[in-house]
Amino acid sequence: MLRSAGRTSWKRFACILVPAAAAAAALGIAMAQGALAVSFLISGQKFQVALDTLDVRGLAIYGTVDVTKKGTLVPVVVTGASHAEISGLCQSVVVTIPVLGPYTLKITGGDHRRVEARNLFLDATALSSSQANFDDLDIGVATGAVSKGPISRGDRNSRFFDPNGFAQQADSAFLTDVHFTTVAVSAATFNVPDLDVQLRQGRHECF
């Protein structure tokens, strides 16, 4: 098992997004001309996902570019998990309502039984973990050669997908005190026990 302080590792890995950000302007021209097929349009609203623990079997981490409905390009790091078990799930997003001001929509679950997800993908602009442990870790694998974890079908079919790009994979991983700032989350299945949804006035984010 390779043990690594998650906060440092994630920041180092995020450096691979610099080329993606540089390419965004050129890709934007092609998209404006209708040359790029976009399979998943995001709102562009950032939201928080906090997890007490994240236990993954089949991990893939790679960079790509998401696209908003307005055509804005957003470089992201995608964390893909073939199977994930989560404890202490919290998801929050702050929306501003005219006249009423900011409101926070918060979703929690997995307090007594673990949340389970299959083919889970988190598209993040920032992420951290107090401790991240990886089994059979490969850093620097080509994105098109990732075999231990999943690549989103939408990402693989996108013009933004670079099969020669930089990726990271592991047979399994266990992370604690995980914080994602995300623009999109998707999963083939997502089972949440102890689900609680609240809308509260003011800012009451997960972290």
Side-chain angles (χ1 to χ4, degrees), residues 62-133:
Y62 57 95
T64 189
V65 178
D66 285 351
V67 185
T68 71
K69 184 75 163 56
K70 295 180 179 179
T72 303
L73 304 180
V74 183
V76 294
V77 172
V78 180
T79 299
S82 297
H83 181 269
E85 292 188 357
I86 295 165
S87 66
L89 167 69
C90 179
Q91 177 181 310
S92 66
V93 60
V94 176
V95 294
T96 300
I97 301 175
V99 181
L100 298 179
Y103 271 72
T104 302
L105 175 64
K106 181 180 283 188
I107 300 171
T108 59
D111 291 336
H112 302 99
R113 290 179 295 154
R114 284 191 165 191
V115 174
E116 292 191 29
R118 182 172 57 85
N119 285 345
L120 173 67
F121 298 97
L122 299 104
D123 294 17
T125 59
L127 52 115
S128 65
S129 171
S130 63
Q131 179 66 40
N133 301 330

Side-chain angles (χ1 to χ4, degrees), residues 29-193:
I29 296 173
M31 194 177 69
Q33 295 172 342
L36 299 179
V38 180
S39 59
F40 185 82
L41 298 178
I42 63 172
S43 71
Q45 173 76 52
K46 292 181 180 179
F47 57 99
Q48 296 181 347
V49 177
L51 316 171
D52 288 347
T53 63
L54 174 61
D55 192 355
V56 173
R57 293 199 302 272
L59 174 72
I61 303 174
Y62 57 95
T64 189
V65 178
D66 285 351
V67 185
T68 71
K69 184 75 163 56
K70 295 180 179 179
T72 303
L73 304 180
V74 183
V76 294
V77 172
V78 180
T79 299
S82 297
H83 181 269
E85 292 188 357
I86 295 165
S87 66
L89 167 69
C90 179
Q91 177 181 310
S92 66
V93 60
V94 176
V95 294
T96 300
I97 301 175
V99 181
L100 298 179
Y103 271 72
T104 302
L105 175 64
K106 181 180 283 188
I107 300 171
T108 59
D111 291 336
H112 302 99
R113 290 179 295 154
R114 284 191 165 191
V115 174
E116 292 191 29
R118 182 172 57 85
N119 285 345
L120 173 67
F121 298 97
L122 299 104
D123 294 17
T125 59
L127 52 115
S128 65
S129 171
S130 63
Q131 179 66 40
N133 301 330
F134 303 92
D135 287 323
D136 295 322
L137 173 68
D138 299 322
I139 299 176
V141 62
T143 309
V146 168
S147 58
K148 296 180 179 180
I151 301 290
S152 167
R153 189 185 335 180
D155 290 339
R156 191 179 293 277
N157 294 333
S158 168
R159 292 287 188 91
F160 296 100
F161 183 76
D162 179 6
N164 299 309
F166 186 100
Q168 177 173 316
Q169 64 177 355
D171 282 345
S172 62
F174 187 81
L175 294 82
T176 57
D177 189 24
V178 191
H179 290 169
F180 290 91
T181 300
T182 60
V183 294
V185 176
S186 61
T189 62
F190 201 75
N191 302 315
V192 185

